[in-house]
């Protein structure tokens, strides 16, 4: 028979699953799965302390076993996964603030504003210049000024 702790674990699993769908980090997926399994097991394990230990143990084991696989899958050249920021490579934007030598400026690409650096350390890109995103390092865009013909 279902008890309150089973519902709490299942609801937690659903909430974490929805957050994972929105973030695609592949971390909360395993925690959500652990919460779901704990919710099912809580039908038989009525002591909350044991339920919590099962949840923590499953979360850690799933993260340890699957995280390297996910990292390898994301990083492989044949992977079709592409983060939202990586999709900006090849897009054009407009500088919102000037980039000085070796410094960071701000660029607007579409409706979003991002931190940006010039493609080369000595690059200076003026405010209002059109730029092309040539690479992404973490969430920093690497840009090249577009020369108008």
């Amino acid at each position: 028979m279902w008890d309150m702790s089973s519902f709490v674990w299942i609801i937690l699993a659903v909430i974490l699953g929805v957050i994972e769908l929105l973030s695609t980090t592949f971390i909360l997926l395993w925690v959500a799965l652990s919460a779901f399994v704990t919710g099912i097991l809580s039908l038989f394990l009525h002591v909350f302390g044991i339920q919590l230990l099962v949840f923590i143990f499953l979360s850690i084991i799933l993260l340890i076993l699957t995280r390297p696989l996910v990292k390898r899958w994301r990083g492989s050249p044949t992977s079709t996964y592409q983060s939202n920021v990586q999709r900006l490579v090849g897009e054009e934007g407009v500088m919102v603030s000037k980039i000085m030598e070796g410094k960071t400026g701000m660029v607007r690409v579409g409706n979003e504003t991002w931190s940006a650096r010039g493609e080369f350390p000595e690059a200076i890109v003026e405010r209002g210049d059109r730029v092309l995103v040539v690479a992404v390092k973490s969430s920093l865009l690497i840009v090249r000024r577009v020369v108008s013909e």
Side-chain angles (χ1 to χ4, degrees):
M1 178 159 205
W2 290 93
D3 65 351
M4 191 57 141
S5 65
S6 298
F7 284 119
V8 170
W9 286 113
I10 301 297
I11 289 170
L12 178 63
V14 170
I15 291 169
L16 291 171
V18 168
I19 293 171
E20 174 59 48
L21 286 173
L22 298 173
S23 69
T24 65
T25 60
F26 292 107
I27 293 174
L28 291 179
L29 174 66
W30 311 120
V31 179
L33 183 60
S34 298
F36 180 76
V37 170
T38 304
I40 300 301
L41 290 176
S42 69
L43 296 171
F44 310 105
L45 303 170
H46 300 292
V47 179
F48 179 74
I50 295 174
Q51 294 173 14
L52 188 59
L53 286 175
V54 167
F55 170 71
I56 292 169
F57 177 76
L58 281 174
S59 295
I60 290 170
I61 293 300
L62 287 172
L63 283 169
I64 289 172
L65 293 177
T66 60
R67 193 70 181 145
L69 296 172
V70 171
K71 279 187 171 184
R72 194 171 330 143
W73 172 71
R74 279 184 159 179
S76 80
T78 59
S79 171
T80 56
Y81 175 82
Q82 191 178 31
S83 71
N84 288 335
V85 70
Q86 287 293 333
R87 291 185 180 132
L88 295 175
V89 174
E91 295 289 321
E92 285 193 14
V94 176
M95 292 305 301
V96 176
S97 67
K98 182 177 182 176
I99 296 178
M100 300 294 288
E101 282 187 41
K103 302 291 182 189
T104 302
M106 300 298 287
V107 62
R108 178 171 299 281
V109 180
N111 294 329
E112 298 178 323
T113 303
W114 296 86
S115 295
R117 274 217 174 124
E119 184 176 20
F120 304 104
E122 66 277 0
I124 297 176
V125 185
E126 298 292 331
R127 181 175 184 222
D129 284 353
R130 296 209 52 80
V131 293
L132 176 69
V133 179
V134 294
V136 175
K137 291 184 180 176
S138 188
S139 61
L140 179 71
L141 303 185
I142 308 301
V143 297
R144 174 188 313 145
R145 189 164 30 112
V146 175
V147 181
S148 302
E149 293 182 23

